[in-house]
Amino acid sequence: MLASVINLNSSAYYFHWGVVYISLANFLAIVVMLVIFVAALVLPFVHTRNKLKAQAGAQPVAKAYEPQTPPPAGDPTLWTARLRQVWLRRLPPEKMLPDSQPAYVASWIYVFGVLTLAGFVLTVVTGLVLALEGPAWWHTSSVGHFFNSMHLWSVECFMGFMAIHLWGKFWMAAWRGRRALTWISGVLAFVISVFEAFTGYLSQTNFDSQWIAFEAKDAMNASGIGAFFNTLDFGQAFMLHIALVPVFLVGIIALHIVMVRLRGVVPPIDANPEHLGEEPSVVAEATNPLRAAHELATQELAASGKEL
Amino acid sequence: MAGIQATSAGMGKDRRTALRQRREMEARPWRGPVRRYDILKEGTIAVAVVAVLVVLFAVLFSSPDVRPVTLQAWASAQPKGFTEIALSELNGTSDSATYGPPYNSGNGEVQDLWGISIQKALGITDPINSAEDFVLQPLSTVSGQPQLTAALGRYNDASATQRSAWLAAYGKALAKAQVVSGRLTVPRAADGPVPVMLSTFLGMARSGGLDAALVQHSPFYVTNYTNPLLFIGDSWKAQHGKSYWGQIVEAQHMSGSQWGVMNETGSWPGQPWLWLYTMWYQVNPMANSGNGDVEVVAIMSFLTILLALVPFIPGLRDIPRKIPVHRLIWKDYYRSNRPGGSPGADVTT
């Protein structure tokens, strides 16, 4: 009942061009990611289009993220009260759980951040079920194998969405405006995820684990990592996969999310200076370089026609 | 001329000031149009969508599970090849025996970058004596075979020179060995106790006893498979695609020259995110370098640091501005903010 509909156990088809040697499955995975990325850029964001129709002509409002009233003061001699004061001032509930966001967040590329998180949640949930029954369960149980399959596809979705999210953020130059830590924590999350996936392959207790452990040991040993992490030691790889690396990964993802909420979503390149908090009288000055850049950007867009 | 230079310098200063000013402003809370946004609803929908995808893929494609290779299967399929590797462990010529840190003091797989070897500096952290750990110690666990006990005693008591002579003689005889009906027949030679030891060792492997004996690092529980994996792996290093393991590896397109680290058994996608890491192994000088692993790790570490530090690297951080993909991402914003456009579209009050 839980057997696959499409049998992928057959011999794989491989493309071989010069030094490039890639399976059809991996090739398709990469092509699908690229197609999704391009589609996310060019397809109209339905929600926004509807809103545009509904509210054309409305006036812009300046709705800041920061709270309008300062957080209640506590006893300044108490560490707890001081921490709460700082926390609420820098990351008030309105920022952590917002009910509005800048109108420019209107592209399908923005959904890949939350899709990455969703992929991570499903990876953790399916991994917890596998952990509950032990590393060998899925070899002998059809239910276990199904959960292993869901774990695998959660990982593929998680990594795929994360890569698209990273591409999108690069082209937004999302590190602008003191958002470097947001970018760095995202890159770190990607790197730790790659290592987490690697330890997952080592924990499969099958041919994959054997071969990948043996092949990978040389790079580990040559770089000195082998002195601390023996890929051939299943116990170590398994504990890294289900305990140590996830702790780091959850930590870095949490930091990334907090930084996104703290700094906000990066504004468009050459955004209207008024939208960035510049006083209208200053923006109106003919020599204002920010205004010039913004007007150049919008004029170029107008000149490029309606293909956008 | 000086006036033009002064003007250019002034313009450059203005531009730098403007960029600094913009960086400051981009850090401020957004003061432009906003729209309704339900972060919890978005998260719930995302989890539901991905859950549907995951269940769908799991039902449609399942997941791979190729059984692990055992010493028993290897010894049964290739008794001669198996015995050749066992002999190489005894005479100290196997890849494991000559590897170097973290296993032993050999130099066979020690790598360095510009003369600096972190591998060597960190020393032996997982000591392995391949003759003792892979062959002699497992044989010593066999009981009730007086002939083997005598052979092991004779071998252990012999000088290193005598052992080498026996092993060399057995090696020459093994080259002429025949496998008839699955039985390995090695011509007689002046090889002392070695034939008894290695024929028993082969029998032990074919019975499945060696699979258990090699992982017995503790009296009962087992989690460390370093010894059996290194032993099986020595066959790949010495016999490559002709070895039992090598045949399976190459049939599954997982060897290093087949970009194996990113591939998966069968027709499943593997780890496509490793494409760049795997690619470096395919191109020179890494493809033919004795230090290929450490060179690839160094390149990938450098590129990863570069990616993380993009915000601080002039030129790299300017690419998104120069190649205006962002015009596609924020097309609605730019359109509604163009001169004469409708600046207030898509807002809530």
Side-chain angles (χ1 to χ4, degrees):
Chain A
M1 181 183 156
L2 295 172
S4 63
V5 175
I6 300 168
N7 180 15
L8 296 183
N9 257 320
S10 55
S11 183
Y13 184 78
Y14 275 74
F15 298 108
H16 198 173
W17 304 298
V19 296
V20 177
Y21 192 89
I22 186 169
S23 71
L24 176 63
N26 274 345
F27 180 74
L28 282 177
I30 293 170
V31 168
V32 166
M33 283 166 62
L34 288 169
V35 168
I36 290 174
F37 176 66
V38 173
L41 293 180
V42 299
L43 289 178
F45 195 60
V46 177
H47 179 68
T48 301
R49 193 167 58 184
N50 292 342
K51 294 286 271 184
L52 280 168
K53 282 177 186 170
Q55 302 190 24
Q59 292 304 305
V61 293
K63 184 171 180 179
Y65 275 138
E66 75 268 33
Q68 302 305 306
T69 53
D75 183 346
T77 61
L78 296 176
W79 290 9
T80 310
R82 283 161 64 183
L83 175 67
R84 187 186 63 217
Q85 185 83 1
V86 171
W87 179 271
L88 288 175
R89 194 171 61 241
R90 301 202 61 181
L91 197 60
E94 294 88 337
K95 261 187 172 181
M96 198 62 211
L97 292 172
D99 56 8
S100 67
Q101 67 178 356
Y104 59 77
V105 184
S107 163
W108 287 109
I109 201 68
Y110 281 105
V111 305
F112 288 93
V114 71
L115 283 177
T116 304
L117 268 181
F120 181 67
V121 167
L122 284 156
T123 304
V124 170
V125 170
T126 53
L128 285 174
V129 175
L130 291 170
L132 190 68
E133 295 287 344
W137 172 54
W138 71 283
H139 298 300
T140 54
S141 157
S142 58
V143 175
H145 194 103
F146 187 66
F147 270 96
N148 181 74
S149 303
M150 287 198 291
H151 193 57
L152 167 73
W153 289 108
S154 300
V155 172
E156 296 285 349
C157 288
F158 171 57
M159 297 300 289
F161 292 146
M162 186 158 43
I164 296 171
H165 178 60
L166 190 142
W167 298 342
K169 292 300 164 186
F170 176 82
W171 290 112
M172 291 180 201
W175 49 79
R176 289 174 293 122
R178 296 188 204 149
R179 291 175 179 85
L181 186 55
T182 314
W183 170 264
I184 291 170
S185 59
V187 171
L188 270 177
F190 181 74
V191 173
I192 296 174
S193 299
V194 169
F195 186 68
E196 171 67 355
F198 168 65
T199 56
Y201 276 83
L202 299 183
S203 303
Q204 287 185 25
T205 57
N206 60 10
F207 169 80
D208 270 10
S209 310
Q210 286 183 313
W211 176 249
I212 293 172
F214 183 78
E215 272 290 270
K217 79 177 191 315
D218 292 332
M220 294 288 172
N221 292 339
S223 57
I225 300 170
F228 310 97
F229 173 35
N230 176 10
T231 59
L232 308 173
D233 184 341
F234 164 72
Q236 191 183 15
F238 188 60
M239 292 309 290
L240 281 170
H241 183 64
I242 66 169
L244 285 174
V245 184
V247 166
F248 281 104
L249 191 52
V250 167
I252 202 76
I253 289 174
L255 172 66
H256 185 68
I257 292 170
V258 166
M259 289 310 299
V260 171
R261 301 296 358 137
L262 194 65
R263 299 287 188 218
V265 184
V266 72
I269 292 174
D270 297 328
N272 185 337
E274 269 187 62
H275 295 164
L276 299 176
E278 187 68 286
E279 292 299 322
S281 58
V282 177
V283 175
E285 287 175 18
T287 54
N288 186 316
L290 301 180
R291 193 187 81 159
H294 172 67
E295 289 188 355
L296 182 65
T298 52
Q299 281 163 9
E300 282 180 6
L301 183 92
S304 66
K306 294 180 180 176
E307 70 272 15
L308 293 181
Chain B
M1 187 70 185
I4 294 171
Q5 283 175 348
T7 309
S8 299
M11 285 173 67
K13 193 178 175 186
D14 284 349
R15 189 173 166 273
R16 281 196 298 276
T17 306
L19 285 175
R20 197 178 307 119
Q21 190 183 350
R22 175 166 288 280
R23 276 201 294 273
E24 289 300 315
M25 290 174 64
E26 285 170 339
R28 294 179 189 173
W30 178 250
R31 299 287 180 178
V34 296
R35 64 182 175 85
R36 280 155 50 90
Y37 174 54
D38 192 338
I39 193 170
L40 291 183
K41 188 176 175 184
E42 182 189 66
T44 306
I45 292 171
V47 170
V49 167
V50 179
V52 168
L53 277 178
V54 164
V55 171
L56 189 69
F57 289 150
V59 169
L60 285 178
F61 305 121
S62 189
S63 55
D65 188 18
V66 174
R67 290 170 62 83
V69 169
T70 62
L71 295 162
Q72 182 181 26
W74 171 28
S76 301
Q78 293 186 342
K80 187 176 176 182
F82 174 87
T83 308
E84 285 170 355
I85 299 305
L87 178 66
S88 74
E89 306 296 358
L90 280 179
N91 66 22
T93 59
S94 71
D95 186 66
S96 297
T98 58
Y99 195 96
Y103 308 129
N104 48 48
S105 56
N107 207 33
E109 298 280 0
V110 174
Q111 300 188 26
D112 67 77
L113 201 60
W114 297 304
I116 300 168
S117 174
I118 304 173
Q119 182 180 4
K120 213 164 185 172
L122 291 171
I124 301 166
T125 54
D126 193 4
I128 284 174
N129 177 335
S130 64
E132 186 63 33
D133 296 338
F134 298 173
V135 183
L136 297 173
Q137 200 281 331
L139 277 176
S140 71
T141 63
V142 179
S143 58
Q145 293 196 28
Q147 198 182 2
L148 173 65
T149 306
L152 278 175
R154 192 178 168 201
Y155 184 84
N156 288 329
D157 292 342
S159 66
T161 311
Q162 179 63 72
R163 287 184 193 175
S164 297
W166 285 336
L167 293 170
Y170 186 81
K172 284 181 185 170
L174 185 60
K176 298 170 190 164
Q178 300 286 320
V179 179
V180 181
S181 302
R183 186 179 173 84
L184 180 68
T185 306
V186 184
R188 287 181 178 278
D191 44 15
V194 176
V196 173
M197 288 163 54
L198 289 186
S199 64
T200 307
F201 191 66
L202 177 62
M204 187 181 182
R206 294 173 86 158
S207 71
L210 188 61
D211 283 295
L214 274 184
V215 292
Q216 284 188 350
H217 283 253
S218 69
F220 190 81
Y221 291 103
V222 171
T223 59
N224 190 343
Y225 293 83
T226 302
N227 285 0
L229 282 174
L230 284 179
F231 182 47
I232 297 174
D234 283 339
S235 69
W236 163 256
K237 293 282 187 177
Q239 301 162 346
H240 309 291
K242 290 180 181 173
S243 67
Y244 177 72
W245 209 23
Q247 288 172 0
I248 299 171
V249 165
E250 292 193 341
Q252 295 286 359
H253 306 271
M254 292 184 77
S255 74
S257 60
Q258 294 170 311
W259 296 54
V261 178
M262 67 181 282
N263 293 339
E264 177 56 278
T265 55
S267 299
W268 279 272
Q271 303 180 77
W273 47 88
L274 291 180
W275 72 270
L276 187 60
Y277 173 80
T278 317
M279 185 202 75
W280 295 116
Y281 280 96
Q282 319 302 324
V283 298
N284 283 320
M286 284 72 70
N288 294 306
S289 169
N291 298 311
D293 287 300
V294 72
E295 287 165 0
V296 170
V297 170
I299 290 171
M300 287 307 292
S301 300
F302 173 73
L303 292 178
T304 303
I305 292 168
L306 208 63
L307 183 65
L309 298 182
V310 159
F312 308 106
I313 302 172
L316 272 183
R317 69 180 177 195
D318 301 325
I319 291 173
R321 181 177 286 277
K322 290 176 178 164
I323 304 174
V325 176
H326 62 272
R327 298 282 171 80
L328 290 169
I329 296 170
W330 292 305
K331 53 185 175 290
D332 290 346
Y333 174 80
Y334 293 129
R335 188 179 288 138
S336 61
N337 281 279
R338 75 176 63 154
S342 173
D346 191 26
V347 297
T348 57
T349 55

